[in-house]
């Protein structure tokens, strides 16, 4: 009978009629929030965003993660297709208001990386160069890390590693000197720090340390280091 629901094996079929069968009209498709999606084919396209505004947003997102140098921000803008002219204008403005300060960045970088990772001036200089810090600005920041502080940090690093070091004194000596070299310590500083720490560790280590000519070894290591540097 028309108008009555069909009986099925499991009860009355209460499913809604299918669209287009003459019994109902299709409902508009709804978005995630339940609103009918409306489109206007005659609506004008959205105006392109101002390039300077886009550049500022990129910079602010970068700076929200950690402080950045001017060179780092310029690189991020270039990757996003921002023109050099707009990039320079935005970065100049950030320089003026102090949002970008390479000198402050360099000082903070040297302080935190030396205290946290025990890096010496040579390693820190390399990191600052990779981040585009001017050589003169980097040198000024590195000047705040004096030789005495560097030597004390090297000794503290060695003493901490010695607590878990295993092996013969000569093998331990080589590993610790290599560890300090990777952190940027000059051969003389590294060798003396390890020798002094070994001398205070045990009688066997002290006997081995007594045989080490720190000055001669430092000179030899220094020559090898100079020979291994690339020639410009």
């Amino acid at each position: 009978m028309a108008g009555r629901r069909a009986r099925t094996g499991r009860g009355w079929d209460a499913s809604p009629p299918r669209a287009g069968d003459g019994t109902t009209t299709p409902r508009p498709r709804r978005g995630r929030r339940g609103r009918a999606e409306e489109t206007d084919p005659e609506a004008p396209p959205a105006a392109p965003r101002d390039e300077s505004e886009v550049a500022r947003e990129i910079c602010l997102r970068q700076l929200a993660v950690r402080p950045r140098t001017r060179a780092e921000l310029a690189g991020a803008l270039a990757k996003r297709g921002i023109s050099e002219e707009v990039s320079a204008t935005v970065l100049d403005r950030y320089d003026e208001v102090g949002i970008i300060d390479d000198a402050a960045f360099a000082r903070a970088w040297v302080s935190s990386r030396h205290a946290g990772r025990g890096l010496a001036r040579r390693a820190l200089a390399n990191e600052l160069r990779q981040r585009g810090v001017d050589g003169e600005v980097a040198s000024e920041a590195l000047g705040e890390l004096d030789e005495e502080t560097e030597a004390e940090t090297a000794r503290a690093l060695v003493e901490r590693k010695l607590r878990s070091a295993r092996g013969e004194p000569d093998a331990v000596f080589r590993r610790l000197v290599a560890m300090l070299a990777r952190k940027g310590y000059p051969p003389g500083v590294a060798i003396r720090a390890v020798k002094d720490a070994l001398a205070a560790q045990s009688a066997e280590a002290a006997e081995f340390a007594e045989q080490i000519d720190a000055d001669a070894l430092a000179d030899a290591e220094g020559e090898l280091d100079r020979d291994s540097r690339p020639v410009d």
Side-chain angles (χ1 to χ4, degrees):
M1 179 181 294
R4 296 182 60 183
R5 291 177 295 182
R7 185 77 179 269
T8 67
R10 300 180 63 185
W12 292 106
D13 182 7
S15 61
R18 290 177 296 175
D21 62 0
T23 60
T24 185
T25 56
R27 288 177 295 179
R29 186 163 58 93
R30 296 181 178 273
R32 293 182 180 177
R33 296 184 180 180
R35 295 179 180 178
E37 294 182 356
E38 298 179 357
T39 58
D40 185 356
E42 297 182 0
R49 297 182 63 195
D50 179 69
E51 189 178 10
S52 296
E53 180 184 352
V54 175
R56 288 191 291 270
E57 288 185 3
I58 294 170
C59 288
L60 293 176
R61 284 198 299 269
Q62 291 283 315
L63 292 167
V65 178
R66 67 165 175 81
R68 308 274 180 174
T69 64
R70 181 181 176 116
E72 287 179 312
L73 291 176
L77 293 175
K79 288 181 180 179
R80 295 291 299 274
I82 303 298
S83 67
E84 292 184 4
E85 182 180 358
V86 170
S87 176
T89 300
V90 171
L91 295 178
D92 285 345
R93 178 57 180 163
Y94 280 6
D95 272 331
E96 291 175 6
V97 299
I99 294 177
I100 301 174
D101 188 340
D102 280 6
F105 175 93
R107 290 193 299 271
W109 188 271
V110 168
S111 176
S112 64
R113 297 286 284 174
H114 179 75
R117 298 289 302 278
L119 299 184
R121 283 174 292 184
R122 185 166 63 176
L124 292 168
N126 185 54
E127 289 188 343
L128 291 175
R129 183 168 55 251
Q130 291 175 349
R131 282 155 182 79
V133 178
D134 178 76
E136 186 174 343
V137 173
S139 296
E140 185 175 346
L142 292 166
E144 299 183 8
L145 177 59
D146 56 48
E147 293 182 0
E148 182 178 353
T149 300
E150 198 172 54
E152 290 175 356
T153 303
R155 176 65 182 270
L157 287 170
V158 171
E159 290 177 347
R160 187 159 62 244
K161 287 290 185 180
L162 270 178
R163 295 169 192 161
S164 58
R166 298 292 183 270
E168 296 297 321
D170 59 337
V172 172
F173 174 80
R174 290 194 299 272
R175 288 201 303 270
L176 293 178
V177 170
M179 179 268 293
L180 291 178
R182 289 192 297 272
K183 291 181 177 291
Y185 288 90
V189 174
I191 291 169
R192 290 185 183 89
V194 178
K195 177 180 178 177
D196 292 345
L198 284 174
Q201 185 190 36
S202 65
E204 181 185 7
E207 183 180 355
F208 171 80
E210 187 65 28
Q211 301 172 10
I212 297 174
D213 188 337
D215 293 332
L217 272 178
D219 290 341
E221 292 290 339
E223 290 178 4
L224 288 173
D225 183 51
R226 287 190 296 271
D227 292 342
S228 63
R229 293 178 185 175
V231 179
D232 295 332

